[in-house]
Amino acid sequence: MHQQRIIYDDTTVRRFIIASVLFGIVGMAVGALVASQLAWWQANLGIPYTTYSRLRPLHTNAVIFAFVGNMMFAGIYYSTQRLLKTRMASDLLSKIHFWGWQLIIVAAAISLPLGITTSKEYAELEWPIDVAIAVIWVVFAINFFWTLARRHEKNLYVAIWFYIATIVTVAVLHIVNSLALPLSGLKSYSVFAGVQDALVQWWYGHNAVAFFLTTPILGIMYYFLPKAAERPVYSYRLSIIHFWALVFIYIWAGPHHLLYTALPDWAQSLGMIFSVMLWAPSWGGMLNGLLTLKGAWYKLREDPVLKFLIAGVTFYGMATFEGPLLSIKSVSALGHYTDWIVGHVHSGALGWNGFMAAGMFYWLVPRLYGTKLHSPKAADAHFWLGTVGILLYMVSMWISGVTQGLMWRAANPDGTLLYPNFVETLLAIRPMYIVRFVGGSMYLVGFIMMAWNLWKTARAGKAVDGEATVVVEPPAPAPVPARAPTPGWVQVVTGRPLVFAIAILTVTMFLGWAKPVRAVVLLGAIIALGEFAWIVTRRDREAGRPSWFGLIEGRPLAFTVLTLIAILIGGVAELLPTIMLKQAVPAHGQAQDPYSPLELQGRDLYVREGCYTCHSQMIRPFVAETQRYGDVSRAEEFIYDHPFQWGSKRTGPDLHRLGGKYPNLWHYTHMMDPRATSPGSNMPPYPWLAEQRIVVKDAPKKLALMQRLGVPYSNADVDGAEARQKSQAEGITADLAAQGVQVAWDSEMVAIISYLQRLGRGPQDLPAPPEKSPAPAARLPAATIASEEGR
């Protein structure tokens, strides 16, 4: 037995904190800009790179992966070393991780405004950056698990469990959702299409929130909240139940983003049920955090760190109450596609992630620089400014969302729509967009105050690396006494809880799909999982036997494998039936005709410009929606959509049945000056589409790649792609020319018009050019060509 002096690697922690604060300011500033663009369309600035539709993905990626990602890594690197009582295994890997992650962020910041995007929410980055993310994540994982193997603390503390779940699950999510075939170095197409792509995307999208924005931050909560409160975690048993229930249930909840869509009904119901079940473990974690402060609530009056941490945990509880609520079908029918969802997302991002980050930074920076916080009063002012900003944001979006949902479905006594013009609903919520901008700006100002406070704190001290002395024990030569035998792998694998869980899952899988017994089986499964949680945490004190969880807690490999199994069960059960079974999507109908070469070019422009951020392509089975937009969308209509374009927010109307609704001139005018066709619209103009040219020679390459993805193009289609592309484009330009609009046949405007005219119908249904031409567009009054839908 001897003592060993350890100097922790806190340089990496400081680097991640600096990066998180800087990128946080950038991400939130872009968020304030896009919020202003919804209230004042002129804030789009009239150039391609600053439109709402291109900046919105930049905002989400900057906040999620740059701000929260760097904050998460800072917390993990700091707490892991101290919980395992060892320095990170490799300084080199830590440096590669840090600088590699920053280069990825810079690549995202450059590519997204340029329109280089996959259009998959929270996964918009193109394939070379996706590969870089996977490589850097593997570097991080190697460093983490290598450190775990060299630890001087046998048992794994709660925070480490959540870090393990994060590393394993994010890797699985990222790899599956990013599967694509490259067309070039900056363009690729998802290997999934339509319904399958939607399911994979929201399996990823929801669980990116779960395992990137939630589980690692819960690990940080379990470490930093007890440290700041100087109290132990309220309940260790509750921590165990919280972890396993959250990891197992969360992975099933993704389909609740697709309620009332063309997704199979069984998948929708499954997502809703597991989302409602999430209430229990989520609130278990929240209560465990709040009750950790038991006996120390008085500290909230003076300690800004605890104010932020406790408020963050409270916002976590609010967000995890609202999420399951919104996953109930009747509530989703009102809230989906509205600003209510935006308010829900930001209550978690600003309240949970933002406040936990602030609390952690205010606690960490003075210790990392060997000094005291420069201004507790400024930190306190930041807290109240941020809190009021969040509340303004949330309340305005709740009001806006409910108003939208009710106006969309409002009907006259004769059954006709009370507000047939979509722009009417947009104008009604404009004041709420202004309040949202004010609230977000207040939050940004508070964050900048924090950056100033932390900078002054660091300037007042100097960088200090933490140190610790640990006792290193040599391997014990004698066997463990018979009274408390060391459990082996057999006991872990054949333990009662694991066998019990497999039995429950088997019964659920084989009986749960049958409608007559579904409710009974799911209720039984919930009760059984509760009993399972009790068994996991129970130990025999008299016999000196540890709980089953105690058997795996000191075995990182076993723990990691079981965590992987827990998340794979839900993923496999949801994804494989829809992806592998042909019956999941009917194979019939003229609407399944593949896109023409020009339409495919136009679809890529639609993706590049980010039109999906404001428009959906999914008409739900509601009377109000079929009256407003047309026939309900069907699963088979999307089988050649790589990627899908169903959208998640309607700032403008649904476009799925747009094809043939308006003449080519209307679309041209709408793109050049949206308010000429839709008075009151907040859509920015897109004049550059009329000036820029498509790459004509890309048409056969795109069709050939689509062939590889299963789209039934013949070799003749590929060979004649350029000729077909030009022929269709010349038909559109001739129609526009007859009405006084001159535009080149290979302009991007013509390509995107061809795609918009195709939406919701087969190419054989496209109309011939009109025999009679109205007056030139410049002479048409706005009322003559006004849209019934707006934006």
Side-chain angles (χ1 to χ4, degrees):
M1 183 181 298
H2 66 278
Q3 291 185 335
Q4 181 176 327
R5 191 71 173 169
I6 297 173
I7 300 176
Y8 298 127
D9 173 21
D10 287 338
T11 299
T12 301
V13 178
R14 282 186 286 270
R15 286 172 176 165
F16 275 118
I17 290 175
I18 293 170
S20 178
V21 173
L22 291 177
F23 284 125
I25 293 173
V26 173
M28 293 175 197
V30 175
L33 175 58
V34 296
S36 72
Q37 291 171 337
L38 291 174
W40 303 282
W41 65 267
Q42 296 88 344
N44 287 272
L45 305 180
I47 55 178
Y49 317 111
T50 55
T51 60
Y52 172 88
S53 49
R54 291 204 194 182
L55 289 183
R56 190 257 187 180
L58 175 62
H59 163 62
T60 56
N61 279 267
V63 171
I64 294 172
F65 301 110
F67 166 51
V68 179
N70 279 307
M71 168 263 187
M72 170 188 79
F73 293 135
I76 290 175
Y77 272 83
Y78 183 88
S79 59
T80 295
Q81 295 179 90
R82 286 152 176 85
L83 290 172
L84 301 181
K85 293 184 171 59
T86 186
R87 185 183 176 92
M88 293 304 295
S90 171
D91 289 356
L92 177 60
L93 292 181
S94 297
K95 291 178 182 177
I96 293 173
H97 177 202
F98 173 78
W99 291 111
W101 194 257
Q102 309 321 309
L103 288 174
I104 288 168
I105 293 167
V106 171
I110 295 172
S111 61
L112 291 174
L114 290 175
I116 301 170
T117 174
T118 66
S119 81
K120 303 185 76 168
E121 288 198 58
Y122 315 139
E124 291 92 347
L125 304 179
E126 268 294 354
W127 71 270
I129 307 177
D130 279 339
V131 172
I133 292 171
V135 170
I136 295 302
W137 197 261
V138 168
V139 169
F140 169 48
I142 291 172
N143 203 10
F144 179 86
F145 286 108
W146 188 3
T147 305
L148 210 57
R150 298 176 55 183
R151 71 192 187 281
H152 293 120
E153 177 64 47
K154 180 181 179 182
N155 292 325
L156 305 181
Y157 180 68
V158 183
I160 302 295
W161 314 341
F162 285 95
Y163 301 159
I164 290 173
T166 298
I167 293 171
V168 170
T169 311
V170 169
V172 173
L173 294 170
H174 175 71
I175 291 171
V176 174
N177 190 53
S178 299
L179 293 174
L181 287 182
L183 176 73
S184 65
L186 299 176
K187 180 65 181 176
S188 65
Y189 296 98
S190 171
V191 299
F192 307 108
V195 171
Q196 292 93 340
D197 194 42
L199 182 58
V200 171
Q201 158 59 27
W202 283 113
W203 169 77
Y204 162 87
H206 182 79
N207 290 300
V209 173
F211 289 91
F212 200 93
L213 299 179
T214 303
T215 54
I217 314 305
L218 285 170
I220 286 170
M221 178 198 80
Y222 274 113
Y223 180 83
F224 287 97
L225 182 55
K227 284 285 187 181
E230 298 179 331
R231 293 288 191 279
V233 171
Y234 174 72
S235 172
Y236 183 70
R237 172 174 285 184
L238 184 56
S239 303
I240 299 173
I241 297 173
H242 174 211
F243 173 78
W244 286 109
L246 197 74
V247 167
F248 176 76
I249 295 174
Y250 233 135
I251 206 77
W252 295 78
H256 78 228
H257 290 265
L258 300 168
L259 298 180
Y260 292 111
T261 67
L263 189 72
D265 187 63
W266 67 266
Q268 296 184 41
S269 298
L270 201 63
M272 182 188 74
I273 290 168
F274 276 89
S275 297
V276 173
M277 289 170 62
L278 269 174
W279 256 325
S282 297
W283 273 47
M286 176 196 69
L287 292 174
N288 212 9
L290 294 179
L291 292 175
T292 296
L293 210 62
K294 185 178 180 181
W297 285 100
Y298 66 92
K299 294 184 177 182
L300 284 176
R301 290 194 296 267
E302 299 178 354
D303 190 348
V305 171
L306 283 177
K307 282 183 182 178
F308 277 103
L309 294 179
I310 290 299
V313 174
T314 304
F315 277 112
Y316 169 68
M318 293 172 61
T320 53
F321 173 83
E322 191 178 24
L325 176 68
L326 284 166
S327 71
I328 298 171
K329 281 192 170 183
S330 57
V331 181
S332 176
L334 174 68
H336 192 46
Y337 287 128
T338 74
D339 285 318
W340 187 353
I341 309 301
V342 177
H344 164 63
V345 169
H346 283 79
S347 69
L350 300 177
W352 164 237
N353 296 124
F355 272 16
M356 290 299 293
M360 187 186 84
F361 292 160
Y362 281 129
W363 189 87
L364 264 181
V365 170
R367 287 165 174 79
L368 291 173
Y369 288 91
T371 186
K372 293 182 179 180
L373 183 64
H374 174 71
S375 176
K377 289 185 178 180
D380 197 57
H382 169 204
F383 173 79
W384 291 111
L385 196 61
T387 300
V388 173
I390 296 172
L391 294 177
L392 286 175
Y393 197 116
M394 289 168 54
V395 172
S396 65
M397 289 297 95
W398 286 342
I399 295 172
S400 174
V402 173
T403 300
Q404 283 176 307
L406 293 176
M407 290 183 74
W408 290 347
R409 62 172 64 186
N412 292 304
D414 63 357
T416 59
L417 293 175
L418 184 59
Y419 303 102
N421 188 337
F422 190 94
V423 172
E424 291 181 90
T425 68
L426 185 64
L427 293 175
I429 61 175
R430 186 171 181 269
M432 293 300 101
Y433 281 159
I434 296 174
V435 174
R436 167 193 182 173
F437 169 70
V438 172
S441 298
M442 290 176 64
Y443 191 93
L444 173 60
V445 171
F447 197 88
I448 293 172
M449 288 173 59
M450 181 194 72
W452 167 83
N453 206 353
L454 296 179
W455 177 70
K456 294 289 286 186
T457 301
R459 287 283 303 271
K462 62 179 182 178
V464 176
D465 289 342
E467 298 182 6
T469 301
V470 298
V471 176
V472 181
E473 298 183 4
V480 178
R483 177 176 173 81
T486 302
W489 277 91
V490 174
Q491 291 173 273
V492 173
V493 175
T494 61
R496 180 181 170 190
L498 195 58
V499 175
F500 190 74
I502 292 172
I504 292 299
L505 290 170
T506 302
V507 172
T508 303
M509 289 293 294
F510 284 95
L511 299 179
W513 312 126
K515 291 184 179 179
V517 297
R518 181 184 297 172
V520 175
V521 171
L522 286 172
L523 180 62
I526 294 171
I527 296 172
L529 286 171
E531 173 64 15
F532 170 59
W534 173 261
I535 294 170
V536 165
T537 60
R538 183 181 179 186
R539 69 187 183 94
D540 190 341
R541 288 186 175 87
E542 294 183 1
R545 295 171 183 162
S547 66
W548 180 81
F549 182 79
L551 300 182
I552 63 170
E553 187 186 16
R555 291 174 167 77
L557 180 58
F559 192 97
T560 302
V561 170
L562 290 176
T563 301
L564 179 61
I565 292 172
I567 64 106
L568 286 179
I569 290 172
V572 170
E574 282 184 344
L575 298 184
L576 285 189
T578 304
I579 293 174
M580 303 300 291
L581 299 180
K582 292 183 179 179
Q583 294 85 347
V585 180
H588 60 78
Q590 291 182 337
Q592 290 180 307
D593 289 341
Y595 293 107
S596 72
L598 185 64
E599 291 160 359
L600 195 58
Q601 296 265 37
R603 191 173 197 272
D604 287 343
L605 294 171
Y606 184 94
V607 168
R608 185 194 74 186
E609 295 300 336
C611 302
Y612 64 91
T613 62
C614 289
H615 296 282
S616 59
Q617 290 184 28
M618 175 52 60
I619 303 172
R620 299 176 295 174
F622 304 144
V623 172
E625 294 212 1
T626 56
Q627 284 185 327
R628 187 183 299 277
Y629 303 122
D631 294 339
V632 173
S633 300
R634 305 185 304 276
E636 64 268 22
E637 296 182 85
F638 305 101
I639 61 172
Y640 301 137
D641 282 6
H642 297 269
F644 82 114
Q645 290 292 291
W646 294 0
S648 61
K649 172 71 172 68
R650 285 176 182 158
T651 303
D654 188 274
L655 302 182
H656 189 213
R657 302 297 177 197
L658 183 66
K661 190 173 185 179
Y662 305 113
N664 295 326
L665 175 62
W666 185 94
H667 288 290
Y668 175 86
T669 307
H670 183 62
M671 300 301 290
M672 296 296 289
D673 181 10
R675 276 143 297 281
T677 61
S678 311
S681 171
N682 63 355
M683 176 179 166
Y686 291 84
W688 52 87
L689 294 176
E691 301 170 0
Q692 297 178 358
R693 302 288 190 266
I694 60 173
V695 181
V696 174
K697 295 185 180 297
D698 277 355
K701 297 177 184 177
K702 291 181 178 181
L703 264 64
L705 189 141
M706 287 293 169
Q707 267 188 322
R708 296 173 60 192
L709 290 171
V711 181
Y713 291 115
S714 65
N715 291 334
D717 289 332
V718 176
D719 295 337
E722 289 188 46
R724 287 181 58 205
Q725 177 179 245
K726 185 175 182 180
S727 175
Q728 185 178 1
E730 288 178 338
I732 295 173
T733 55
D735 178 44
L736 291 173
Q739 300 173 75
V741 173
Q742 299 296 327
V743 62
W745 74 267
D746 59 346
S747 70
E748 293 181 346
M749 181 68 76
V750 171
I752 202 166
I753 287 175
S754 73
Y755 173 66
L756 295 173
Q757 291 287 27
R758 168 63 193 278
L759 288 176
R761 57 186 186 156
Q764 72 282 350
D765 299 325
L766 292 176
E771 296 180 3
K772 294 183 179 181
S773 302
R779 299 178 184 176
L780 284 175
T784 306
I785 53 176
S787 161
E788 293 181 356
E789 303 298 352
R791 189 177 167 89

